[in-house]
Amino acid sequence: MALLVDKHRPRSLDTLSYHPALSARLRALAQSSDFPHLLIYGPSGAGKKTRTTALLKELYGPGVEKIKIDARTFQTTSNRKLDFTIVASVYHLEITPSDVGHTHDRVVIQHLLKEIAQTQQLDALARHRFKVVVVNEADHLSRDAQAALRRTMEKYSPNLRLILLANTTSNIIAPIRSRTLLIRVPAPSVEEIAQVLTSICARESWTPIPALHARIAVDSGRNLRRALLMYEAVRAQHEVVTADTPIAPPDWEALVGVVAREIVAERSAACILRVRAKLYDLLVHCIPPTVVLKTLTWALVGLLEEGGDDGVKGEVVRWSAFYEHRIRLGSKHIFHLEAFVAKFMRIQESYLMGMDLDF
Amino acid sequence: MAGFFDIKARKDAAAAASSSKAPTTKQETPRTQPWVEKYRPKTLSDVTAQDHTITVLQRTLQASNLPHMLYYGPPGTGKTSTILALAKQLYGPDLMRTRVLELNASDERGISIVREKVKDFARSQLSNPPAGPAGVEYRKKYPVPPFKIIILDEADSMTQDAQSALRRTMETYSKITRFCLVCNYVTRIIDPLASRCSKFRFKALDSVNAAKRLEEIAGNEGVMMEKGVTDALVRVSEGDLRKAITFLQSAARLVGATQAASGKVKEGDAMDVDGESGATVTVAIIEEISGVIPDDTISRLQSAMQPGKKTSRYSSVANVVTDMVADGWSAAQVVSQLYEKVLYDETIPDLQKAKITMIFSEVDKRLVDGADEHLAILDLSLRVADVFAEE
C-alpha cells in the first residue's frame, strides 16, 4: 500500500489544496505561448515538487506521467566513469546533478543539457516545441556547474526550458537568478495542514479528529510531508485514535531529546562521555549532523524556557550557529557536536554560578 | 527519381523546403525569444551608457585595427553585447561564423581545449568575402579587417593552467587573430594575460540610463506600467540591466497571461491582449518575482529586535524568524535587506553600527560557506538585538 503522501499527492494544478494564487499563476504561465525558465524555491515539504509535476502535466497533458528510468554513463576529462540516473518521459526529464558529487556535476550539466538542447522535440503533435529539464537540488550545484548553465540557458532557449528546484536562492549565483523567473512556494500554514489532514480523512473514510489534526500540524513545523507521515504513523500505531493520542516523535528525535535533558541536568566530563555515545549512534544511523545540532539546539532552548533568561538562549543559538558552520567546513562531525555540548555546559554553568567567565 | 543526380534540381528543392520552413520559425521566434536577446544591441552605438568604452571602440572600428581586449565589470552591463555588436559591425552576417569563435563557460575550456580548439582556430586561414562584385559590395558595407576574433566569455571561470596556455598563443598568432576576454572579476585573470590586453571597465548602469532603456522596451512591447515600476525595477536589479529586462518580461508575462486566462481569451493572444485591455504591471509584482522581501516583514523582524520588555525578546525574535524561514525567504536576501535597513537608520549610533556590521560580515561568510539558514538568521537577529540593547 502506498503511503498517504504518495497516494494523495495532487496530480494536477486544479487539485492543489493551498496557495490558489500561485496555482493560477502557474496555469497562466503554462497556457501562455512563451514559458520562461523557472526557479522554484521554498522550504522542504512545502510542495515544490508536487507543483512542478502538476505544472508539467498542464504543459504537456497526461503523457508526462509515463516515465522511465534511464542509467547513463559520462566520462570526465580524467577518464573517470560517472554513473548517472535520469528520470524521463517523452517531454521532460529530471536530473539530480548533486548525485555525482560536487566535483563532477559540471560534466553532467555540460554534456547532458547540450545533448538535449541540440535535439528537437520528437513528438510532432506535442503542445510545445521545447523540452523541460527539471533540476533537483539546484542549490547544491557547484559554482562551476552553475556557470555552465548560464549561456546554455540563453543559447538553447528554443529547445530547452529549465525548472530549477531549490530550498533557498542563497547558493544560486546571481547570473542564474537573473535569467529565471523566481517562484516562491511558502510552507503551508498550520490551518492549511489541518485542512489537508481532514480532507484525507474523508478520502480514507476515517473519522476526522480536529484536535489531533491541529496538534500534528503544529508539531510538523509547517512541513506537510512530515505532517502526513506523522499522521500515518499515529494511525498505524494505535487501534483507536482519539484527540489525546500521543504523537510519537521519530526515534532519533526522541534520542536527541534525551541528550538535551541529560546535558541540562548534569554538567560534567562524565556526562559528555555518555552523550558522546548517543551522538555517535545518531551519526551512525545517517542523521545529518546539521539536523542533529539544530534539533538539539531547539530542545535545549525549549528546556531553558522555564529559566527564561534571554542572555543564555542567545548565547546558545550563537554557538550553535558557530559550530554548525564548523561542521560544514570540517570533516569530522562528532568533534563539533561534542564541542557544542561542552560549550553549552560551560555557558549554563557560568550562568548558574552568576559569574561571567570569558568565553 | 530521375532527378536524384540532378544537383541543380535538388538544390532548388532544398531551397524551396528551407524557404517554406523559414517563415514559420521566424513567426515563432519573436514571441518566444527572451527580450534580453531580442533587444541585444545590434550596433555599438546602441549600447547603453558605456560612453567612454564605446567611443574608443568606434575609433578602432574606423582604423580597422584592434588590440587584444579585456572587458570586465559587474553582470548585466553590456560586456558580451558590446563585443558581439563590434564583431557584427566588423564582419557582417556572412563572415561572423568563420571569423569569430565564441567560447563560454558552458563549453569545456580545460587546457586541452585551449591547446587544440583555440590554437587551431587561431592559426587557420582567414576566410574572405565572396569574390567578384558581391564581395566588393560587402567590403563597402563592412570593414572586414584582416584578423579573426576569439571571444572567451566568462573568462574568470577558466583554470589558471588554461589561462597560462593562452599566453604564447596570443602572441604567436597576433597577426591574424585578436582575443577578447570577458569577465566579471579582473583579479581572476592571471597577470601575464591581463598585461597583454587593453582593459575596458564596464561600470554599473546609472539609474537614468537604465530607466530610459526599460521604458523604451516597455513601449515597444506594449507593456502598461504603473507609476514607479521602472524605479522599482532599477532598484531591485542593482545596475544589472539584463536582470531588469528579465524581470520586466516575466512581469509582463504574468500579467498578460493571467489576464488572458481570466478573460477566457484564446491562448496565444496573450501578448496582444495586454496591450489593449490595459493590464498593468505593478510594483508589487516586480517585488514578488525578484524575490525581494516585502517591507512589513522586515519591519516586523526589526521591531521584534528592539529592546523593550526584556523577557520576551528571544521568543518574539524566534517566532518572526521561524515564520520567515517557513515562508521560504532566502537568508541572503534577509541579510542584505536587513543590512540596508539598519545602516540607513539615523537613530542608531555609529558605534553600534560598527559592531552590527561585524556581525553581518560574519553571518554572510557563514552563508556563503553553506551554513544552515535558520540558525544563521536567528543568530544574526539575536546578536543585533543584543547590540541594540547595549546602550
Side-chain angles (χ1 to χ4, degrees), chain A residues 191-210:
Chain A
E191 294 81 35
E192 280 162 344
I193 291 187
Q195 271 167 25
V196 170
L197 291 181
T198 316
S199 76
I200 279 184
C201 272
R203 266 187 269 174
E204 290 281 327
S205 60
W206 292 337
T207 35
I209 310 159

Side-chain angles (χ1 to χ4, degrees), chain A residues 36 168 170 184 187 310 324-325, chain B residues 253 310 326-327 369 372-373:
Chain A
T168 163
S170 299
R184 185 172 58 92
D310 273 9
E324 202 275 331
H325 181 219
Chain B
R253 254 181 207 146
K310 199 170 186 278
D327 278 340
D369 285 342
D372 183 78
E373 304 214 325

Side-chain angles (χ1 to χ4, degrees), chain B residues 321-338:
Chain B
V321 170
T322 313
D323 279 350
M324 283 172 79
V325 171
D327 278 340
W329 299 116
S330 88
Q333 193 68 38
V334 175
V335 169
S336 70
Q337 277 188 262
L338 194 63

Side-chain angles (χ1 to χ4, degrees), chain A residues 24-25 27-37 41-43 46 77 106-107 110-111 114 129 143-144 147-152 154-158 161 167-171 174-175 177-188 221-222 290 293-294 297-298 301 305 308-311 313-315 317-322 324-325 328-329, chain B residues 25 28 31-34 36-37 40 75 80 84 102 104-109 112 153-154 156-157 184 240 242-243 246-247 249-251 253-254 257-258 261 267-268 270-271 285 288-291 309-315 322-323 325-333 362 365-376 378-379 382-383 386:
Chain A
R25 195 174 282 177
R27 182 174 310 118
L29 275 181
Q31 280 166 0
S32 77
S33 51
D34 57 340
F35 182 76
H37 298 294
Y41 67 105
T77 38
R106 184 174 56 95
V107 182
Q110 282 176 345
H111 285 85
K114 270 200 189 153
R129 278 186 56 218
R143 292 281 144 123
D144 282 346
L149 274 182
R150 283 167 67 162
R151 271 302 275 173
T152 315
E154 288 177 353
K155 228 168 158 179
Y156 301 111
S157 62
R161 290 291 186 284
N167 277 333
T168 163
T169 55
S170 299
N171 300 336
R177 264 185 283 168
S178 77
R179 283 174 176 82
T180 48
L181 174 56
L182 299 181
I183 290 185
R184 185 172 58 92
V185 184
R222 294 176 69 183
T290 305
L293 188 68
K294 251 172 97 177
T297 310
W298 303 147
V301 170
E305 206 75 60
D309 188 272
D310 273 9
K313 284 179 199 161
E315 205 68 17
V317 170
R318 174 169 176 191
W319 288 105
S320 167
F322 178 84
E324 202 275 331
H325 181 219
R328 290 286 158 161
L329 298 182
Chain B
T25 47
E28 245 171 35
R31 185 168 286 165
T32 49
Q33 216 178 12
V36 180
E37 293 294 325
R40 210 181 257 290
T80 313
L84 287 179
E102 191 193 346
N104 55 59
S106 72
D107 305 295
E108 186 60 55
R109 279 193 308 193
S112 58
D153 208 346
E154 294 150 29
D156 36 7
S157 63
N184 292 135
D240 183 342
R242 176 177 47 220
K243 207 162 155 188
T246 316
F247 285 159
Q249 187 177 14
S250 312
R253 254 181 207 146
L254 279 181
T258 343
E267 321 166 11
M271 282 325 248
I285 291 183
E288 172 65 37
I289 57 177
S290 59
K309 309 156 276 167
K310 199 170 186 278
T311 42
S312 63
R313 204 173 68 222
Y314 172 81
S315 46
T322 313
D323 279 350
V325 171
D327 278 340
W329 299 116
S330 88
Q333 193 68 38
E362 200 183 323
K365 161 75 177 145
R366 280 189 195 161
L367 284 175
V368 169
D369 285 342
D372 183 78
E373 304 214 325
H374 193 165
L375 278 176
L378 187 58
D379 178 37
L382 284 175
R383 275 160 75 186
D386 276 349

Side-chain angles (χ1 to χ4, degrees), chain B residues 94-376:
Chain B
D94 294 353
L95 287 180
M96 268 296 270
R97 205 167 275 245
T98 48
R99 288 287 189 100
V100 179
L101 175 70
E102 191 193 346
L103 289 175
N104 55 59
S106 72
D107 305 295
E108 186 60 55
R109 279 193 308 193
I111 189 160
S112 58
I113 292 294
V114 170
R115 285 203 184 121
E116 290 159 21
K117 208 168 167 187
V118 172
K119 223 169 167 182
D120 281 352
F121 185 83
R123 64 178 166 210
S124 64
Q125 272 292 342
L126 292 175
S127 61
N128 275 316
V136 175
E137 196 64 21
Y138 197 81
R139 269 186 198 278
K140 262 186 204 151
K141 256 172 113 184
Y142 303 103
V144 195
F147 51 76
K148 302 175 294 264
I149 295 186
I150 297 182
I151 304 171
L152 294 170
D153 208 346
E154 294 150 29
D156 36 7
S157 63
M158 282 171 79
T159 58
Q160 294 260 337
D161 286 349
Q163 289 189 34
S164 352
L166 268 181
R167 294 159 50 166
R168 219 23 218 160
T169 315
M170 277 173 85
E171 283 175 353
T172 321
Y173 303 106
S174 62
K175 262 191 180 161
I176 48 169
T177 304
R178 296 289 182 277
F179 280 82
C180 179
L181 307 178
V182 178
C183 64
N184 292 135
Y185 304 102
V186 73
T187 44
R188 301 242 180 99
I189 303 292
I190 58 170
D191 277 346
L193 270 195
S195 71
R196 283 176 173 80
C197 303
S198 57
K199 299 193 192 82
F200 295 94
R201 190 172 77 87
F202 284 68
K203 50 190 185 300
L205 258 69
D206 56 305
S207 48
V208 182
N209 276 310
K212 213 168 76 190
R213 184 80 181 144
L214 283 172
E215 265 158 23
E216 208 175 291
I217 292 176
N220 271 347
E221 292 289 337
V223 181
M224 312 283 271
M225 292 195 292
E226 200 184 67
K227 217 175 165 198
V229 165
T230 30
D231 289 343
L233 277 172
V234 171
R235 196 180 64 237
V236 295
S237 60
E238 294 159 349
D240 183 342
L241 190 57
R242 176 177 47 220
K243 207 162 155 188
I245 296 176
T246 316
F247 285 159
L248 179 64
Q249 187 177 14
S250 312
R253 254 181 207 146
L254 279 181
V255 171
T258 343
Q259 187 79 8
S262 62
K264 299 244 159 56
V265 187
K266 268 187 199 158
E267 321 166 11
D269 286 347
M271 282 325 248
D272 316 326
V273 168
D274 65 2
E276 289 159 19
S277 65
T280 46
V281 175
T282 61
V283 178
I285 291 183
I286 299 287
E287 284 187 345
E288 172 65 37
I289 57 177
S290 59
V292 170
I293 305 168
D295 245 0
D296 51 321
T297 315
I298 289 286
S299 318
R300 213 151 61 87
L301 179 62
Q302 214 184 4
S303 65
M305 288 190 312
Q306 292 305 325
K309 309 156 276 167
K310 199 170 186 278
T311 42
S312 63
R313 204 173 68 222
Y314 172 81
S315 46
S316 59
V317 170
N319 282 340
V320 176
V321 170
T322 313
D323 279 350
M324 283 172 79
V325 171
D327 278 340
W329 299 116
S330 88
Q333 193 68 38
V334 175
V335 169
S336 70
Q337 277 188 262
L338 194 63
Y339 179 73
E340 291 222 331
K341 244 328 202 294
V342 170
L343 275 222
Y344 290 113
D345 191 343
E346 296 285 327
T347 58
I348 302 172
D350 284 355
L351 188 62
Q352 283 192 8
K353 276 188 190 167
K355 282 181 186 163
I356 292 172
T357 316
M358 297 269 286
I359 303 173
F360 270 108
S361 79
E362 200 183 323
V363 172
D364 185 55
K365 161 75 177 145
R366 280 189 195 161
L367 284 175
V368 169
D369 285 342
D372 183 78
E373 304 214 325
H374 193 165
L375 278 176

